[in-house]
Amino acid sequence: EVQLVESGGDLVQPGGSLRLSCAASGYSFNNYWMHWVRQAPGKGLVWVSRLNEDGTITSYADSVKGRFTISRDNAKNTLYLQMNSLRAEDTAVYYCARDVGGVGSLWGQGTLVTVSS
Amino acid sequence: DIVMTQSPLSLPVTPGEPASISCRATQSLLHSNGHHFFDWYLQKPGQSPQLLIYWGSNRASGVPDRFSGSGSGTDFTLKISRVEAEDVGVYYCMQALQTPYTFGQGTKLEIK
């Protein structure tokens, strides 16, 4: 079965750090761009970051640039999002997604990050 | 950034009736390869978003043919020929022409 499974979401204090993981299975992970998209409680979808197939090209939303880092380990079929200097406004469900904007778009079920003291 | 504006934001529909959602971008989404980098997604209650339409008018795998996408340049439309109960949720348009990718505000479809 083709699927993406996120993990790592948690309650963290403002200024803290967290690393999200996304395990891919059922397809050739290293053939696709990967993305992170987030959704604050009761709000719409916001694109966060993307990474190309071999991990050499990255893009970030301005709101997370300099604080978040996207990376991947193709040997482990896993995508990561390192989140530093977290703020209350980063509270959201974080979705890992394959090929956003392409034919093979696929999303995980999401992992909740709550930033609060 | 490209701004995506959807209308309406709320759409009550009687089962069996048609429905239509519009989305407008602040600049053309036509890529040099001839495709419009524009998608429609549906987020059913309690679920993650699922791709309905890619490149403006192509149905994703497994999407019923009652869903259709049309449009070009900056203006796009999603049509549902006959709404079914399982179609409830929030519909989002999205542009992938340039980063940051941006989504519309979402249109909540509910059954009357």
Side-chain angles (χ1 to χ4, degrees):
Chain A
E1 180 188 5
V2 178
Q3 63 177 355
L4 299 169
V5 179
E6 301 94 334
S7 60
D10 204 348
L11 171 63
V12 60
Q13 292 189 338
S17 297
L18 208 56
R19 189 177 83 155
L20 306 183
S21 299
C22 169
S25 59
Y27 74 97
S28 297
F29 178 68
N30 59 1
N31 284 350
Y32 289 88
W33 285 72
M34 295 297 295
H35 302 249
W36 288 99
V37 179
R38 68 185 182 184
Q39 186 171 36
K43 302 297 184 181
L45 301 169
V46 177
W47 177 85
V48 173
S49 181
R50 72 173 184 177
L51 181 64
N52 72 331
E53 296 93 332
D54 63 7
T56 57
I57 301 173
T58 60
S59 301
Y60 296 93
D62 284 348
S63 58
V64 306
K65 201 173 294 183
R67 300 188 299 123
F68 290 12
T69 302
I70 189 172
S71 62
R72 65 194 297 163
D73 185 335
N74 285 344
K76 295 182 178 179
N77 292 337
T78 302
L79 177 73
Y80 303 101
L81 186 67
Q82 177 66 44
M83 303 185 295
N84 299 330
S85 302
L86 283 161
R87 307 167 180 166
E89 54 265 35
D90 295 319
T91 294
V93 172
Y94 284 73
Y95 294 102
C96 158
R98 179 189 82 175
D99 198 25
V100 175
V103 177
S105 180
L106 172 73
W107 296 50
Q109 85 291 345
T111 187
L112 177 62
V113 173
T114 304
V115 184
S116 174
S117 55
Chain B
D1 298 0
I2 298 175
V3 177
M4 308 296 287
T5 304
Q6 288 181 232
S7 63
L9 300 184
S10 179
L11 186 56
V13 185
T14 301
E17 293 296 304
S20 178
I21 303 170
S22 297
C23 185
R24 174 167 289 177
T26 51
Q27 67 185 75
S28 175
L29 302 182
L30 180 62
H31 190 272
S32 56
N33 67 7
H35 294 298
H36 287 87
F37 278 35
F38 176 87
D39 297 339
W40 287 103
Y41 283 88
L42 166 60
Q43 186 173 31
K44 295 184 177 181
Q47 297 185 18
S48 58
Q50 60 187 86
L51 179 65
L52 292 177
I53 303 289
Y54 63 93
W55 296 346
S57 60
N58 297 274
R59 268 190 307 276
S61 176
V63 174
D65 60 8
R66 64 179 181 275
F67 290 92
S68 64
S70 63
S72 64
T74 61
D75 293 301
F76 299 86
T77 302
L78 176 70
K79 293 183 179 179
I80 310 173
S81 58
R82 295 173 304 280
V83 170
E84 298 187 4
E86 66 180 25
D87 299 336
V88 298
V90 181
Y91 291 78
Y92 293 94
C93 61
M94 186 205 77
Q95 68 81 20
L97 182 69
Q98 64 184 228
T99 58
Y101 292 2
T102 46
F103 294 85
Q105 315 97 299
T107 296
K108 186 173 185 179
L109 186 149
E110 61 180 26
I111 299 296
K112 282 184 182 177

